[in-house]
Amino acid sequence: MQTGSNAPADVNASPESGYASLGSGSEADCGQSKPEAASRAGILARISGTAHTALERSFAKLASVVVEYPRATIVLSVITTLGLAQGVWFYEEELSPEKSYTPQDSRAVVERQWIEEVYGSENRRVDIFVASAGGNVLSREGLRFLFEYQRVIENELSTVHEDVVVDFNTICSRHKANGPCKEPDSVLSLWGNDVTAFERDTDFMATINNDTAWRLAEPTGPGVEHYIGGIVKTNHVITAAKATKLVYSFRNELQKISGLGNDDPLTSAFEHALTEYSRGTATREGEAHGIEVHLVADAVMNKLSDDAMGSDISSLTTGYMLMLVYASFVLFRGRLKYSHAFLGLFSVICVGASTISAYGFMWLIGVKFNTVVQALILLLLGVGVDDTFVIMDAWWECGDIPDLKQRMIVALSHAGPAITVTSLTDVIAFLAGSSTVLPALKDFCYYAAAGITFDFVFQITLFVAVAFLDTLRQAKSRMDWCCCITVGEDTGVWIDGPPCVSKAVGRRGIMHHVVGVMLPRATVASKVGRCLVLLAAVVVLAFGCWGCTEVRINFDFEWFVPDGADMHHAFDLRDTYFGGRSSSADVYFAEMDFSTEESQNSLKSAVSIVSRSKFVQNGTVSSFLDVFISYLENEHPTWTDPSTGLNVPSTYTRGSEVFVTSAIFFDALNVFTSPNTAPLNAFDYMHQVRWNEQVDSLVSVRIRFILISSVVEDGEVAVDAMDSLRDACASISVPAGARQPFPWAFMFVFFEGYKVIFDEVTRNVLIAGVCVLCIVTVLLANIFMGLVVAVIIGAIDTCLLGYMPWVGVDLNSVSVICTMIAIGIAVDYSVHIAHAFLLVSASDQEFASSRAQRAAYALWKMGPAVFNGGFSTFLAIMPLVFAKSYVFTVFFRMFSVIVLSGQFFGVMVLPVFLSLVGPPPNAGAINLDNAPWQNPLSPEFDSAPLPLVSGKAIEMIEELENRHHTTMWKVI
């Protein structure tokens, strides 16, 4: 039964884009024999020609199988997707930011491993900010509220986690097992956190102003003014304060938690309970005194971030729907029989299948998922639907081939090399980018390479199979989107076009007329238009280059807290009254006998050197040694030497310095740091020393200090601070054989990422750019055109980096992902048009005019497909304009810059540039007089009949038949 062989040509088909016939048919089109063309072509051209011919023949063979077994192809695609989806059972997510955004061989990471082996995991910190609407939180009623708030937290508040009751005593920080809980650091420490002592204090404001009392209460703290903010003083005496804070230290016994990474689930559960109490009961009770309570807790911050990410991911469903609507609009034709809008759905399905397959495949081979990998969805939305437009444009070009199988084979043989060029270039660019030392970027490059590969495979198999079945629907006069309804030849919304436009415009589509006709007339055919485009390009690039000098390197986890969250009130109180964020740090000493005078002198020297650093808050350097010496001088001037049993002086003086007697050093220090015998409040000192198993010598000692807020808030200052402190510690003199002291803070792990990120961006972009240049040069068979494409990609990346400051994005491990994505998408925006320009020659004797005609042809042929791909990408990310999470907010802003700059340089600047200095056509190029196109620069364009592709396309199939002695298709 001959269903498709006698089907009429698609009279509504628009010969928009798609590649002209290459390989075996191209030489005949320009009147050259193959030997003549080969002799004229260089080595590069011969390589390219051989590659294109091989690709065309391969795609013809693939298409012949797909159209012969379309249903089997669909089933096989579904089975493949479902099979790879089983990788979800091997799903593993890397939730530790320090393992995603920092080079794992960096100095800070190596030092952290040593610190955790010696000191264990750092305690978790919860900052609670209390502010008074009346302007004074230091009233007696305000302080009573604080005491009651603290009492409830420590004695009444509890929650249940997996049948385990969790209260303050469960998760509080302790010096040793079963030891006392560490009390919070706050102004209440002045009364020993005892409300009875506070009530007995008849002049509590005098106590607050008594520096001696504060030093007795918090000997290692930075001072009372560190815990109260918005201070009002009269004659240098504190009389009121607008805010105060409590700092709790909780345990952090990490364990592997599914879906949460490494976490202490009991501490996290208590932090959530504390947050609910503070927002609820405590806030209501505080309102009676004009007091508000807000806190910052890691578990709550992570929950807020995860919820925002989940909300944004769900909003991408709207992006898929918008892309589906637009793809269907582009594939729609007035006559319902010849429309292919239904294929828009399967184009988006192919993107979804490739996303699922890529995720599943990477999980199967053990590549962990991380936050930024979610950008893969946006990348595949950007490049996936483009392939659909190219394939369908090639299908419409072959409208004069009556047999539907033949038509699909020829169409894919034409479109296949085009999407291969872009897909292969993207994959190699991402694989090249995987050489980065940033783990998150490395993993994303792996996922992206896999995703683009799967999308390419599904587009040339699954989509082609469905598209072929859709042509059978067309042959049977069934309606688009509803194949159960039979329609007439002229049934449709409009026949020759919308009422407001000409017939020619209607048959080609409005977007094709705007991009393929009006745009070349306004640019490549107009001197004024060319000047305006080039001037605009210079201005855009100039602003981009200027912006590159203004890019800030910074990253802050607080950005992951969505706007509107209650935690932002805590951030505001901290920034307003407590000088912004701060981070504690330590200088570590190890592998030395700390009892010797030389070692003690090293500790004293470190205190002096660190205190002088401009990156350290004044008065925050805390060393156990100074207080230990004071303790011995005041309370134990003599001590029993454990080796002789004789009393000896505890300390001695050399010059202006006081040292602990070596013989009694460890015995006295053990008493000083023991929870049962420690003087005053020496809890922090207990954590500054680490004993060996015999408790007769120290393994390590650390000196604590606090970094200024700008170190945490500014990436460039952060790197300077880290390097400066390292240099300072390197200058500390230590005994022979001792480990050189080194500074370390948790934030140093991320500062290491700041330190290398600019070099990594530059290196990865250059490596990927060189790979793109080499591949494009070979496939286009033109060195000059390869350089032009590389320049266009470079311009797009320059705009991306340069406009980051203007769209409010800093350079970090999240935004750097987009620089790699930009390369992949930019290839699509430029290669198609460059390729089309090289494939045709003009008969005009004046080469300048010839270039203009060829540029107009390239824009007429490929411009609409490129524009549709870019616009569909923009529609897909539009829902993210309301994104709550930091990651997707950055992706929306940077994808917007990528799409806009890519469209500008690819669709406008590139054709104008080629019309002025474009290279000669490749050997075997088709003469425009014989090409299937209408010259938009011709005044007769609007009245010219709609052309169809030359019958020369059949020659390739006949050649293949003769070569393989078989029929490439069978009549249905």
Side-chain angles (χ1 to χ4, degrees):
M1 182 175 63
Q2 294 185 348
T3 305
S5 58
N6 296 322
D10 189 346
V11 296
N12 269 315
S14 171
E16 298 174 358
S17 61
Y19 280 173
S21 179
L22 305 172
S24 57
S26 59
E27 289 86 350
D29 287 331
C30 63
Q32 286 182 306
S33 66
K34 292 181 181 180
E36 293 172 337
S39 62
R40 196 178 66 136
I43 296 177
L44 196 60
R46 288 198 295 271
I47 294 174
S48 177
T50 301
H52 277 296
T53 301
L55 284 173
E56 284 191 324
R57 292 171 177 170
S58 298
F59 280 107
K61 293 178 182 179
L62 174 64
S64 66
V65 174
V66 172
V67 299
E68 188 67 33
Y69 307 103
R71 293 172 181 82
T73 301
I74 296 172
V75 171
L76 182 60
S77 299
V78 172
I79 292 175
T80 300
T81 302
L82 294 178
L84 290 172
Q86 301 310 304
V88 70
W89 300 108
F90 300 90
Y91 169 83
E92 188 174 3
E93 183 172 0
E94 183 55 77
L95 293 173
S96 300
E98 62 271 23
K99 292 184 179 179
S100 295
Y101 307 128
T102 300
Q104 294 304 289
D105 60 349
S106 63
R107 174 176 169 178
V109 172
V110 174
E111 290 171 344
R112 181 189 185 186
Q113 294 170 352
W114 178 87
I115 292 170
E116 289 183 345
E117 290 175 0
V118 175
Y119 288 89
S121 300
E122 192 73 15
N123 291 329
R124 281 162 71 153
R125 169 175 165 166
V126 174
D127 290 351
I128 302 174
F129 298 91
V130 181
S132 173
N136 184 19
V137 76
L138 296 182
S139 65
R140 188 170 288 275
E141 288 300 319
L143 292 175
R144 282 173 178 163
F145 171 81
L146 285 180
F147 273 112
E148 176 62 16
Y149 177 72
Q150 181 175 324
R151 185 193 68 79
V152 172
I153 293 174
E154 298 178 10
N155 298 302
E156 296 183 5
L157 186 64
S158 66
T159 186
V160 177
H161 176 77
E162 296 182 353
D163 299 327
V164 176
V165 178
V166 184
D167 58 15
F168 178 76
N169 288 316
T170 307
I171 54 86
C172 68
S173 177
R174 307 173 190 268
H175 176 57
K176 67 177 183 179
N178 301 320
C181 287
K182 181 184 185 302
E183 295 287 351
D185 297 329
S186 72
V187 68
L188 304 185
S189 299
L190 289 168
W191 299 278
N193 295 288
D194 184 356
V195 65
T196 302
F198 169 72
E199 294 294 353
R200 288 199 304 262
D201 190 346
T202 58
D203 191 357
F204 68 91
M205 289 305 298
T207 302
I208 291 175
N209 283 279
N210 188 333
D211 185 66
T212 301
W214 178 254
R215 285 301 171 188
L216 290 174
E218 289 285 348
T220 66
V224 66
E225 295 186 14
H226 184 74
Y227 296 99
I228 57 177
I231 297 174
V232 178
K233 291 185 177 181
T234 302
N235 296 325
H236 306 291
V237 175
I238 299 173
T239 58
K242 295 181 179 179
T244 185
K245 70 176 179 178
L246 294 82
V247 180
Y248 273 99
S249 179
F250 294 155
R251 76 173 201 186
N252 191 27
E253 297 179 2
L254 299 178
Q255 54 183 286
K256 191 71 173 180
I257 306 296
S258 177
L260 294 176
N262 294 324
D263 188 33
D264 186 328
L266 298 185
T267 300
S268 293
F270 189 81
E271 287 182 2
H272 284 293
L274 175 58
T275 302
E276 292 178 6
Y277 166 69
S278 300
R279 292 177 182 173
T281 305
T283 297
R284 289 192 297 270
E285 293 175 352
E287 288 175 351
H289 307 287
I291 290 176
E292 56 179 310
V293 180
H294 306 283
L295 60 88
V296 178
D298 289 345
V300 179
M301 186 181 297
N302 293 336
K303 180 67 164 53
L304 290 170
S305 175
D306 291 343
D307 290 347
M309 290 285 289
S311 174
D312 291 342
I313 291 175
S314 63
S315 71
L316 284 177
T317 304
T318 305
Y320 271 94
M321 295 303 298
L322 290 175
M323 177 170 279
L324 168 61
V325 170
Y326 185 73
S328 298
F329 169 75
V330 172
L331 299 176
F332 176 76
R333 290 299 179 269
R335 299 181 181 182
L336 298 182
K337 172 182 175 180
Y338 297 105
S339 177
H340 298 284
F342 177 70
L343 294 180
L345 172 63
F346 274 88
S347 175
V348 176
I349 287 176
C350 287
V351 174
S354 61
T355 304
I356 294 172
S357 299
Y359 283 151
F361 176 74
M362 299 311 293
W363 295 336
L364 282 171
I365 64 176
V367 180
K368 291 184 179 180
F369 185 83
N370 62 61
T371 301
V372 297
V373 166
Q374 297 176 92
L376 177 65
I377 301 173
L378 302 179
L379 172 64
L380 295 184
L381 283 174
V383 302
V385 179
D386 291 1
D387 294 344
T388 294
F389 295 144
V390 174
I391 291 172
M392 290 308 297
D393 284 343
W395 164 264
W396 283 319
E397 277 191 348
C398 301
D400 62 342
I401 303 178
D403 188 284
L404 297 180
K405 288 189 174 182
Q406 295 179 23
R407 185 176 176 183
M408 183 59 73
I409 292 171
V410 175
L412 187 59
S413 68
H414 289 177
I419 61 178
T420 299
V421 170
T422 55
S423 298
L424 179 62
T425 305
D426 289 346
V427 168
I428 292 180
F430 282 116
L431 289 179
S434 67
S435 62
T436 179
V437 297
L438 298 175
L441 179 57
K442 178 190 293 287
D443 290 344
F444 173 79
C445 288
Y446 288 143
Y447 275 87
I452 292 175
T453 301
F454 281 114
D455 181 73
F456 171 74
V457 171
F458 284 130
Q459 290 287 344
I460 62 176
T461 54
L462 175 60
F463 179 78
V464 170
V466 175
F468 177 69
L469 292 178
D470 191 57
T471 63
L472 299 184
R473 181 270 312 162
Q474 173 183 309
K476 296 178 180 179
S477 298
R478 301 287 185 176
M479 187 172 75
D480 187 19
W481 277 103
C482 190
C483 59
C484 59
I485 298 177
T486 302
V487 294
E489 190 74 17
D490 294 332
T491 303
V493 179
W494 58 74
I495 305 304
D496 294 320
C500 59
V501 299
S502 68
K503 293 182 178 181
V505 173
R507 285 180 288 178
R508 295 176 181 87
I510 296 176
M511 296 313 303
H512 186 277
H513 185 75
V514 172
V515 179
V517 178
M518 297 177 63
L519 186 60
R521 286 179 177 177
T523 55
V524 299
S526 168
K527 292 183 179 180
V528 175
R530 289 198 295 264
C531 291
L532 291 176
V533 169
L534 294 178
L535 178 62
V538 171
V539 172
V540 169
L541 271 179
F543 272 99
C545 293
W546 178 33
C548 287
T549 65
E550 303 295 320
V551 173
R552 293 177 64 243
I553 300 174
N554 204 9
F555 184 77
D556 193 336
F557 290 110
E558 293 181 1
W559 296 341
F560 285 76
V561 178
D563 293 339
D566 180 75
M567 195 174 289
H568 280 288
H569 294 296
F571 297 156
D572 293 339
L573 291 174
R574 178 201 62 200
D575 296 341
T576 302
Y577 298 118
F578 297 97
R581 292 186 63 187
S582 61
S583 175
S584 61
D586 301 274
V587 177
Y588 289 86
F589 294 79
E591 301 174 14
M592 66 172 68
D593 181 357
F594 292 97
S595 66
T596 66
E597 179 180 321
E598 187 177 7
S599 295
Q600 294 179 49
N601 195 55
S602 297
L603 295 177
K604 291 174 176 288
S605 176
V607 172
S608 175
I609 290 174
V610 173
S611 298
R612 292 196 300 268
S613 173
K614 65 179 180 179
F615 301 109
V616 176
Q617 290 186 21
N618 292 331
T620 64
V621 181
S622 167
S623 170
F624 81 94
L625 184 60
D626 295 334
V627 181
F628 180 40
I629 291 174
S630 177
Y631 161 73
L632 292 176
E633 287 181 322
N634 296 328
E635 299 191 28
H636 297 280
T638 62
W639 198 278
T640 302
D641 185 341
S643 62
T644 64
L646 301 176
N647 286 340
V648 297
S650 300
T651 62
Y652 65 93
T653 302
R654 190 179 303 281
S656 61
E657 297 291 340
V658 179
F659 299 94
V660 179
T661 302
S662 177
I664 62 97
F665 184 93
F666 293 117
D667 190 55
L669 182 64
N670 188 20
V671 174
F672 177 74
T673 58
S674 172
N676 300 321
T677 59
L680 308 174
N681 184 1
F683 185 90
D684 286 336
Y685 299 135
M686 302 174 190
H687 286 277
Q688 287 190 7
V689 298
R690 186 59 62 193
W691 293 91
N692 62 7
E693 293 182 359
Q694 294 76 29
V695 197
D696 58 7
S697 180
L698 293 179
V699 175
S700 175
V701 166
R702 58 184 175 183
I703 297 173
R704 177 145 293 185
F705 57 93
I706 298 177
L707 299 168
I708 59 176
S709 59
S710 61
V711 172
V712 185
E713 298 167 356
D714 190 314
E716 294 182 359
V717 174
V719 174
D720 290 341
M722 180 175 66
D723 290 342
S724 174
L725 289 169
R726 285 175 173 174
D727 292 340
C729 290
S731 67
I732 299 174
S733 176
V734 295
R739 178 171 182 169
Q740 189 64 37
F742 64 90
W744 191 88
F746 175 72
M747 293 302 296
F748 280 13
V749 175
F750 301 100
F751 295 171
E752 294 280 12
Y754 300 166
K755 191 173 182 179
V756 302
I757 192 165
F758 188 80
D759 291 339
E760 284 297 300
V761 171
T762 304
R763 187 180 69 88
N764 288 330
V765 169
L766 288 176
I767 291 175
V770 169
C771 291
V772 169
L773 173 62
C774 294
I775 296 170
V776 170
T777 298
V778 171
L779 294 178
L780 295 184
N782 193 293
I783 296 176
F784 180 79
M785 188 63 84
L787 292 172
V788 170
V789 170
V791 168
I792 293 295
I793 295 174
I796 295 172
D797 253 344
T798 299
C799 288
L800 178 63
L801 288 172
Y803 284 85
M804 284 172 58
W806 317 131
V807 297
V809 176
D810 292 329
L811 183 62
N812 51 50
S813 294
V814 176
S815 57
V816 73
I817 300 292
C818 295
T819 61
M820 296 302 301
I821 293 176
I823 294 177
I825 294 181
V827 169
D828 290 1
Y829 291 154
S830 55
V831 170
H832 289 306
I833 290 176
H835 199 179
F837 181 84
L838 292 173
L839 292 180
V840 292
S841 62
S843 57
D844 197 309
Q845 297 300 316
E846 185 181 353
F847 187 52
S849 175
S850 168
R851 283 196 297 254
Q853 291 184 37
R854 292 165 59 210
Y857 168 80
L859 196 53
W860 179 88
K861 188 175 182 64
M862 296 306 303
V866 173
F867 175 82
N868 287 333
F871 189 72
S872 62
T873 302
F874 188 74
L875 285 177
I877 64 172
M878 273 301 295
L880 295 181
V881 70
F882 304 108
K884 299 178 181 179
S885 67
Y886 171 72
V887 171
F888 281 108
T889 298
V890 169
F891 286 160
F892 170 75
R893 295 175 183 178
M894 298 196 72
F895 261 80
S896 298
V897 175
I898 291 172
V899 172
L900 293 177
S901 60
Q903 292 283 298
F904 174 68
F905 284 100
V907 179
M908 296 186 68
V909 177
L910 179 59
V912 169
F913 182 82
L914 294 178
S915 71
L916 295 174
V917 294
N922 283 352
I926 302 174
N927 192 284
L928 287 177
D929 293 339
N930 301 322
W933 81 308
Q934 290 173 285
N935 187 353
L937 309 185
S938 170
E940 294 82 18
F941 173 81
D942 289 326
S943 60
L946 188 69
L948 296 173
V949 72
S950 169
K952 292 281 186 180
I954 303 298
E955 294 180 6
M956 185 186 69
I957 296 179
E958 293 175 347
E959 179 187 347
L960 287 172
E961 284 185 336
N962 295 331
R963 183 183 300 273
H964 298 285
H965 306 290
T966 185
T967 302
M968 294 288 294
W969 58 80
K970 298 178 181 178
V971 177
I972 302 175

